[in-house]
Amino acid sequence: MSKEVRWGILGLGNIARKFAHDLKLVSGGRLVAVASRTLDKAEQFRDEVGADKAYGSYAEMLASAEIDMVYVATPHHLHRDNTLAALQSGLGVLCEKPAALNSVQLEEMLAASTETGHYFMEALWTRFLPSTEKVAEILASGELGGVVEVEADFCFAAERDYSSRLFDLALGGGALLDIGIYPLFLAYQLLGVPEQIKADGQLSPTGSDESCSMTLSYSNGRIAQLHASVLYGSAMAARITCERGYILLPGRWHEAQSLTVIKAGYEPQEIATPFPGKGFYHQILSSQVAFLAGERQNEKWSHADSLAIMQMMDDIRQQIGVVYPGEQ
Ligand SMILES: NC(=O)c1ccc[n+]([C@@H]2O[C@H](COP(=O)([O-])OP(=O)(O)OC[C@H]3O[C@@H](n4cnc5c(N)ncnc54)[C@H](OP(=O)(O)O)[C@@H]3O)[C@@H](O)[C@H]2O)c1
């Protein structure tokens, strides 16, 4: 294998374009191939982002022997099949979030990564951002004491196109899987797996969740209050309350370029947490390092981390009544 990771992108939509942009900023990796369901689209995308090859089918790219790692950028309902196909073709996988529709699918994907020995990571890019690392550093210093409450949301007013992937159940539609995963990630990152989740949701005419509110309870009264909505917007700020102060992540907190530490008895301290590009730089770099080291997973966002979040989302969907085709 070369010392450079040769990437292929599978599914050429919005996020694929942003990923291709940021990949150019990262040394040690190169976009070699792109694959679409249609050759015309793949050729156009190839020319736009400067890849070497364009394929008019996903299977053709996976069989090409020209790439090491696949970035799966299709809608949620395809993540399992696309990931399994890539792993079985001998390739590493960075798969867009949510990793799958449910934990049954994800367990199948993780088992395939174990059996084939190939890298798999869910593209939970916020985990790799400087703001996330800075929060961890501040909390580890102990200056604020332990975390007692996390408040976070991810809300925006989406266009009411019920055939779009945001609403269509066949494409894994719904606020929880698309954007609720971010506040859940923050609570999980800071407080771990809760003892109990109480969720409430508002469903669209398709049966997908338009809004979802979640209260996560932990031992000693610790709590996380989380919201996600594609019905209405919000400031999208997050607050991490600790025993001796709090940390504010300004909107949009999941890609914050600064944060403020407010410690009882002190002036607020603003800390810059900039990142290059559109936010995927650190995630790509970390994936490349792990992949080239022969790792099967990423220690910063492991298989167990993805599974924990997916199980929480299964629980929440059961409470609010969102069922995807093929699920009981
Ligand atoms: N990390 C982030 O910040 C972020 C942001 C947005 C989305 N995402 C995730 O990325 C994934 C893709 O989202 P996106 O916004 O890029 O979606 P999108 O613009 O709709 O693109 C998805 C692509 O998947 C392919 N595809 C294959 N089967 C499809 C089908 N039945 N219907 C629609 N598209 C199909 C299409 O590519 P071809 O026509 O080329 O085959 C399409 O362009 C989702 O899982 C989403 O959660 C992540």
PDB file of all heavy atoms in Angstrom, residues 4-8 23 26 28-33 52 288:
ATOM      1  N   GLU A   4       0.376   7.187   0.864  1.00  0.00           N
ATOM      2  CA  GLU A   4      -0.679   8.176   0.679  1.00  0.00           C
ATOM      3  C   GLU A   4      -2.008   7.413   0.609  1.00  0.00           C
ATOM      4  O   GLU A   4      -2.069   6.360  -0.008  1.00  0.00           O
ATOM      5  CB  GLU A   4      -0.423   8.875  -0.647  1.00  0.00           C
ATOM      6  CG  GLU A   4      -1.385   9.955  -0.988  1.00  0.00           C
ATOM      7  CD  GLU A   4      -1.066  10.539  -2.364  1.00  0.00           C
ATOM      8  OE1 GLU A   4      -1.165   9.804  -3.361  1.00  0.00           O
ATOM      9  OE2 GLU A   4      -0.745  11.718  -2.425  1.00  0.00           O
ATOM     10  N   VAL A   5      -3.030   7.944   1.270  1.00  0.00           N
ATOM     11  CA  VAL A   5      -4.334   7.282   1.188  1.00  0.00           C
ATOM     12  C   VAL A   5      -5.033   7.732  -0.085  1.00  0.00           C
ATOM     13  O   VAL A   5      -5.225   8.924  -0.320  1.00  0.00           O
ATOM     14  CB  VAL A   5      -5.198   7.610   2.424  1.00  0.00           C
ATOM     15  CG1 VAL A   5      -6.567   6.963   2.293  1.00  0.00           C
ATOM     16  CG2 VAL A   5      -4.514   7.141   3.693  1.00  0.00           C
ATOM     17  N   ARG A   6      -5.413   6.749  -0.901  1.00  0.00           N
ATOM     18  CA  ARG A   6      -6.119   7.052  -2.162  1.00  0.00           C
ATOM     19  C   ARG A   6      -7.616   6.916  -1.899  1.00  0.00           C
ATOM     20  O   ARG A   6      -8.103   5.820  -1.661  1.00  0.00           O
ATOM     21  CB  ARG A   6      -5.647   6.083  -3.251  1.00  0.00           C
ATOM     22  CG  ARG A   6      -4.142   6.161  -3.533  1.00  0.00           C
ATOM     23  CD  ARG A   6      -3.683   5.021  -4.402  1.00  0.00           C
ATOM     24  NE  ARG A   6      -4.024   3.723  -3.815  1.00  0.00           N
ATOM     25  CZ  ARG A   6      -3.980   2.560  -4.466  1.00  0.00           C
ATOM     26  NH1 ARG A   6      -3.596   2.530  -5.725  1.00  0.00           N
ATOM     27  NH2 ARG A   6      -4.300   1.430  -3.852  1.00  0.00           N
ATOM     28  N   TRP A   7      -8.307   8.064  -1.922  1.00  0.00           N
ATOM     29  CA  TRP A   7      -9.726   8.090  -1.563  1.00  0.00           C
ATOM     30  C   TRP A   7     -10.627   7.931  -2.788  1.00  0.00           C
ATOM     31  O   TRP A   7     -10.303   8.404  -3.877  1.00  0.00           O
ATOM     32  CB  TRP A   7     -10.082   9.433  -0.926  1.00  0.00           C
ATOM     33  CG  TRP A   7      -9.566   9.638   0.463  1.00  0.00           C
ATOM     34  CD1 TRP A   7      -8.351  10.158   0.817  1.00  0.00           C
ATOM     35  CD2 TRP A   7     -10.253   9.365   1.689  1.00  0.00           C
ATOM     36  NE1 TRP A   7      -8.241  10.223   2.178  1.00  0.00           N
ATOM     37  CE2 TRP A   7      -9.402   9.744   2.744  1.00  0.00           C
ATOM     38  CE3 TRP A   7     -11.507   8.833   1.996  1.00  0.00           C
ATOM     39  CZ2 TRP A   7      -9.766   9.611   4.082  1.00  0.00           C
ATOM     40  CZ3 TRP A   7     -11.856   8.707   3.331  1.00  0.00           C
ATOM     41  CH2 TRP A   7     -11.002   9.083   4.361  1.00  0.00           C
ATOM     42  N   GLY A   8     -11.788   7.330  -2.543  1.00  0.00           N
ATOM     43  CA  GLY A   8     -12.873   7.318  -3.519  1.00  0.00           C
ATOM     44  C   GLY A   8     -14.134   7.796  -2.822  1.00  0.00           C
ATOM     45  O   GLY A   8     -14.362   7.443  -1.662  1.00  0.00           O
ATOM     46  N   LEU A  23     -10.649  17.634   1.587  1.00  0.00           N
ATOM     47  CA  LEU A  23      -9.610  16.617   1.343  1.00  0.00           C
ATOM     48  C   LEU A  23      -8.371  17.246   0.691  1.00  0.00           C
ATOM     49  O   LEU A  23      -7.236  16.837   0.955  1.00  0.00           O
ATOM     50  CB  LEU A  23     -10.193  15.491   0.476  1.00  0.00           C
ATOM     51  CG  LEU A  23      -9.285  14.309   0.125  1.00  0.00           C
ATOM     52  CD1 LEU A  23      -8.617  13.725   1.373  1.00  0.00           C
ATOM     53  CD2 LEU A  23     -10.079  13.234  -0.603  1.00  0.00           C
ATOM     54  N   VAL A  26      -5.699  18.426   3.157  1.00  0.00           N
ATOM     55  CA  VAL A  26      -5.041  17.459   4.040  1.00  0.00           C
ATOM     56  C   VAL A  26      -3.889  16.786   3.298  1.00  0.00           C
ATOM     57  O   VAL A  26      -4.101  16.239   2.210  1.00  0.00           O
ATOM     58  CB  VAL A  26      -6.047  16.372   4.495  1.00  0.00           C
ATOM     59  CG1 VAL A  26      -5.405  15.448   5.524  1.00  0.00           C
ATOM     60  CG2 VAL A  26      -7.309  17.000   5.063  1.00  0.00           C
ATOM     61  N   GLY A  28      -1.134  13.784   2.717  1.00  0.00           N
ATOM     62  CA  GLY A  28      -1.156  12.341   2.969  1.00  0.00           C
ATOM     63  C   GLY A  28      -2.372  11.641   2.392  1.00  0.00           C
ATOM     64  O   GLY A  28      -2.560  10.436   2.597  1.00  0.00           O
ATOM     65  N   GLY A  29      -3.209  12.401   1.681  1.00  0.00           N
ATOM     66  CA  GLY A  29      -4.382  11.781   1.069  1.00  0.00           C
ATOM     67  C   GLY A  29      -4.715  12.477  -0.237  1.00  0.00           C
ATOM     68  O   GLY A  29      -4.372  13.647  -0.437  1.00  0.00           O
ATOM     69  N   ARG A  30      -5.377  11.748  -1.127  1.00  0.00           N
ATOM     70  CA  ARG A  30      -5.677  12.309  -2.443  1.00  0.00           C
ATOM     71  C   ARG A  30      -6.990  11.725  -2.949  1.00  0.00           C
ATOM     72  O   ARG A  30      -7.243  10.519  -2.763  1.00  0.00           O
ATOM     73  CB  ARG A  30      -4.544  11.933  -3.411  1.00  0.00           C
ATOM     74  CG  ARG A  30      -4.552  12.675  -4.739  1.00  0.00           C
ATOM     75  CD  ARG A  30      -3.196  12.497  -5.416  1.00  0.00           C
ATOM     76  NE  ARG A  30      -2.902  11.105  -5.711  1.00  0.00           N
ATOM     77  CZ  ARG A  30      -3.262  10.478  -6.827  1.00  0.00           C
ATOM     78  NH1 ARG A  30      -3.948  11.114  -7.753  1.00  0.00           N
ATOM     79  NH2 ARG A  30      -2.938   9.215  -7.016  1.00  0.00           N
ATOM     80  N   LEU A  31      -7.802  12.567  -3.578  1.00  0.00           N
ATOM     81  CA  LEU A  31      -9.047  12.067  -4.153  1.00  0.00           C
ATOM     82  C   LEU A  31      -8.753  11.463  -5.518  1.00  0.00           C
ATOM     83  O   LEU A  31      -8.438  12.183  -6.468  1.00  0.00           O
ATOM     84  CB  LEU A  31     -10.072  13.203  -4.280  1.00  0.00           C
ATOM     85  CG  LEU A  31     -11.438  12.772  -4.825  1.00  0.00           C
ATOM     86  CD1 LEU A  31     -12.054  11.660  -3.978  1.00  0.00           C
ATOM     87  CD2 LEU A  31     -12.382  13.967  -4.890  1.00  0.00           C
ATOM     88  N   VAL A  32      -8.837  10.150  -5.597  1.00  0.00           N
ATOM     89  CA  VAL A  32      -8.503   9.457  -6.842  1.00  0.00           C
ATOM     90  C   VAL A  32      -9.747   9.222  -7.692  1.00  0.00           C
ATOM     91  O   VAL A  32      -9.715   9.406  -8.903  1.00  0.00           O
ATOM     92  CB  VAL A  32      -7.786   8.122  -6.518  1.00  0.00           C
ATOM     93  CG1 VAL A  32      -7.672   7.248  -7.744  1.00  0.00           C
ATOM     94  CG2 VAL A  32      -6.407   8.412  -5.934  1.00  0.00           C
ATOM     95  N   ALA A  33     -10.848   8.798  -7.044  1.00  0.00           N
ATOM     96  CA  ALA A  33     -12.013   8.404  -7.850  1.00  0.00           C
ATOM     97  C   ALA A  33     -13.311   8.881  -7.212  1.00  0.00           C
ATOM     98  O   ALA A  33     -13.401   9.057  -6.000  1.00  0.00           O
ATOM     99  CB  ALA A  33     -12.039   6.886  -7.996  1.00  0.00           C
ATOM    100  N   ASP A  52      -9.160  11.972 -10.317  1.00  0.00           N
ATOM    101  CA  ASP A  52      -8.589  11.341 -11.515  1.00  0.00           C
ATOM    102  C   ASP A  52      -9.650  10.598 -12.329  1.00  0.00           C
ATOM    103  O   ASP A  52      -9.688  10.683 -13.546  1.00  0.00           O
ATOM    104  CB  ASP A  52      -7.512  10.316 -11.118  1.00  0.00           C
ATOM    105  CG  ASP A  52      -6.366  10.957 -10.354  1.00  0.00           C
ATOM    106  OD1 ASP A  52      -6.265  12.199 -10.386  1.00  0.00           O
ATOM    107  OD2 ASP A  52      -5.600  10.223  -9.705  1.00  0.00           O
ATOM    108  N   GLN A 288      -6.940   8.990   8.173  1.00  0.00           N
ATOM    109  CA  GLN A 288      -5.776   8.570   7.368  1.00  0.00           C
ATOM    110  C   GLN A 288      -4.677   7.991   8.260  1.00  0.00           C
ATOM    111  O   GLN A 288      -4.078   6.960   7.934  1.00  0.00           O
ATOM    112  CB  GLN A 288      -5.233   9.765   6.579  1.00  0.00           C
ATOM    113  CG  GLN A 288      -6.162  10.195   5.462  1.00  0.00           C
ATOM    114  CD  GLN A 288      -5.611  11.332   4.616  1.00  0.00           C
ATOM    115  OE1 GLN A 288      -6.226  11.703   3.636  1.00  0.00           O
ATOM    116  NE2 GLN A 288      -4.472  11.881   4.965  1.00  0.00           N
TER     117      GLN A 288
END
